[in-house]
Amino acid sequence: MKKFFASLLSISALATSIFTAPVATAQSLPAPTIAAKSWLLLDATSNQVIASQDPTLRIEPASLTKIMTAYLVFTAVKEKKLDLNQSVNVSTRAWKVDASSSKMFIEPNKPVTINELLYGLIVQSGNDAAVALAEAVAGSEDAFVVQMNREADRIGLKSSHFANPHGLPSPENYSTAQDLSTLAARLIADHPEFYKTYYSTKSYTYNKITQPNRNRLLWLDPTVDGMKTGHTEAAGYCLISSSIRPNGTGQRRLISVVTGTASDQVRAQESLKLLNWGFLNFDTVKLYEKGQAIATPEIWKGTQAQIKIGFNRDLYVTLPKGAAAKLKPALERKDPLVAPIALNGKVGTVKMMLDGKPVAEFPVLALEQVEQASIFGRAWDSLRLLFK
């Protein structure tokens, strides 16, 4: 069943990630007909799922698995556990990976750099590169798989499990369109420079063999700057693609996930159809600036009389075109606010209302820490509260 979601992703005051579960659904807008087993369109600017079909259907991710592999390698480089110019030896296990599958064509007696392996993984979709990188990060493929699943848990991939770093068929290697959109968005947000360097590359030559990037959209649409293709007989033809286009005075990024299509051509055309539909029919509106005080309510039993409340990040919402002017905020506070209150502690909720219906909901946070007053100050406010 096709669904349109006007669902904003809420941010917990204690969360380390900005990508969490959807909070509210509302509005209806005809979704496009997409020739795929399951699909999803995510606005990465607002972290909002715009539309989807069977987003939680379990699928075989095929080479989309390599996004998690790349994420862990990028993290290892960022943490200086690996260096891009570092050379590694190619194991027999990496060299002998399924000869009928996609390969970079690394060789056991020829050291290769992490940088070369990343191009081989992302541009050439080399399964041998995936194994070599896994061994470089974790010492063995099995140890790397443990890291993959630990990371999947950390970033909230609730319906995914990884069995290998390349995505070759295994009953223990599965995911969903929803989880894959989260993973893709996390990689772009957490490793923007690496994403820019590798995912838009149209071809790569290694060992005197030039292979094109299988993502056709890199040639068809100049606003598409990644991301990854996948294919096995069971998975069909899959594609995660991302496009960034102007949005008012800024930019807006959409990520589409299309799985189980009939051919390479179909996955490209359906992905482009989905991206164009999202950009043409929706606007992404900035609601509040990070650190902007939306109110300064009274606080009780504290070292100050008032507290600034707002959000710890810029807030955006994605709406059908023309609807933004009718959007109205409704603030609900946890009154009375009693000290102590921690910085970024949740003090209420703001609901964005459209035609009297909530279309998005955000936790409102304390923008400053307020300590308890002296025993006398607390006693005085306790008396005041009795008559409030």
Side-chain angles (χ1 to χ4, degrees):
M1 181 178 67
K2 297 184 182 68
K3 296 180 181 178
F4 165 73
F5 293 90
S7 59
L8 238 313
L9 305 183
S10 67
I11 310 303
S12 165
L14 301 177
T16 58
S17 162
I18 65 170
F19 300 92
T20 55
V23 232
T25 61
Q27 302 191 43
S28 61
L29 187 74
T33 299
I34 302 296
K37 182 185 291 185
S38 68
W39 56 265
L40 181 146
L41 182 64
L42 172 73
D43 189 311
T45 303
S46 64
N47 307 320
Q48 182 174 343
V49 176
I50 299 175
S52 66
Q53 177 177 293
D54 296 325
T56 59
L57 177 71
R58 180 181 288 192
I59 60 161
E60 181 182 314
S63 283
L64 303 182
T65 300
K66 294 183 175 90
I67 297 176
M68 175 60 85
T69 301
Y71 186 93
L72 288 174
V73 178
F74 293 157
T75 301
V77 173
K78 192 174 183 179
E79 295 175 351
K80 301 189 183 305
K81 295 175 182 176
L82 289 178
D83 186 277
L84 289 175
N85 297 316
Q86 170 185 342
S87 290
V88 297
N89 293 318
V90 177
S91 70
T92 302
R93 183 183 180 97
W95 177 55
K96 285 189 173 181
V97 73
D98 188 350
S100 66
S101 67
S102 301
K103 298 189 73 173
M104 180 186 177
F105 299 106
I106 50 179
E107 299 174 356
N109 298 320
K110 186 178 179 181
V112 58
T113 66
I114 298 299
N115 183 53
E116 290 172 321
L117 287 170
L118 281 167
Y119 278 112
L121 176 81
I122 294 164
V123 181
Q124 300 177 326
S125 200
N127 296 323
D128 49 355
V131 175
L133 285 167
E135 292 172 344
V137 171
S140 72
E141 189 176 351
D142 289 344
F144 187 77
V145 168
V146 171
Q147 290 189 21
M148 294 175 79
N149 288 307
R150 185 183 301 138
E151 193 66 19
D153 288 341
R154 187 185 74 82
I155 65 179
L157 308 187
K158 297 179 180 179
S159 302
S160 297
H161 186 270
F162 298 102
N164 57 57
H166 38 61
L168 287 172
S170 166
E172 295 304 312
N173 206 65
Y174 54 83
S175 190
T176 66
Q178 182 169 290
D179 278 1
L180 290 168
S181 71
T182 299
L183 175 59
R186 283 302 299 263
L187 186 145
I188 294 169
D190 293 350
H191 302 293
E193 292 306 314
F194 290 138
Y195 174 77
K196 182 179 179 181
T197 297
Y198 295 102
Y199 280 93
S200 60
T201 301
K202 292 182 177 180
S203 67
Y204 185 66
T205 301
Y206 180 80
N207 212 2
K208 298 181 180 180
I209 302 170
T210 300
Q211 298 185 63
N213 194 318
R214 293 169 177 81
N215 183 358
R216 290 185 180 218
L217 295 191
L218 293 175
W219 284 268
L220 295 174
D221 185 341
T223 71
V224 171
D225 56 6
M227 175 144 191
K228 189 71 190 75
T229 60
H231 171 256
T232 64
E233 186 175 342
Y237 290 83
C238 308
L239 175 60
I240 297 178
S241 52
S242 183
S243 171
I244 188 163
R245 301 184 189 178
N247 180 61
T249 58
Q251 292 182 311
R252 173 184 174 208
R253 179 179 293 281
L254 298 187
I255 296 172
S256 67
V257 180
V258 172
T259 76
T261 72
S263 70
D264 176 19
Q265 182 178 356
V266 170
R267 72 183 172 190
Q269 81 182 22
E270 297 303 275
S271 296
L272 189 55
K273 181 198 298 184
L274 196 51
L275 289 169
N276 286 336
W277 177 81
F279 281 114
L280 288 171
N281 289 283
F282 296 87
D283 288 322
T284 298
V285 180
K286 190 172 187 178
L287 301 174
Y288 300 105
E289 297 270 356
K290 176 182 178 180
Q292 175 186 345
I294 64 169
T296 52
E298 186 175 14
I299 186 168
W300 301 81
K301 302 184 182 182
T303 54
Q304 58 194 60
Q306 294 178 314
I307 183 172
K308 295 177 182 177
I309 62 175
F311 309 95
N312 61 359
R313 66 181 182 98
D314 292 344
L315 287 192
Y316 296 84
V317 65
T318 300
L319 298 164
K321 282 190 180 294
K326 299 185 288 183
L327 201 62
K328 295 180 180 179
L331 176 61
E332 298 176 358
R333 290 203 312 264
K334 293 181 175 180
D335 287 336
L337 297 177
V338 180
I341 293 180
L343 175 68
N344 290 329
K346 183 178 177 181
V347 294
T349 300
V350 66
K351 294 181 179 180
M352 304 309 299
M353 311 296 290
L354 185 63
D355 296 329
K357 297 178 181 179
V359 295
E361 184 176 315
F362 303 92
V364 178
L365 311 178
L367 297 179
E368 53 190 332
Q369 180 172 313
V370 179
E371 303 291 349
Q372 277 190 330
S374 67
I375 189 170
F376 300 107
R378 297 199 304 273
W380 173 245
D381 275 0
S382 294
L383 285 172
R384 292 175 62 212
L385 281 170
L386 290 174
F387 298 98
K388 182 176 172 60

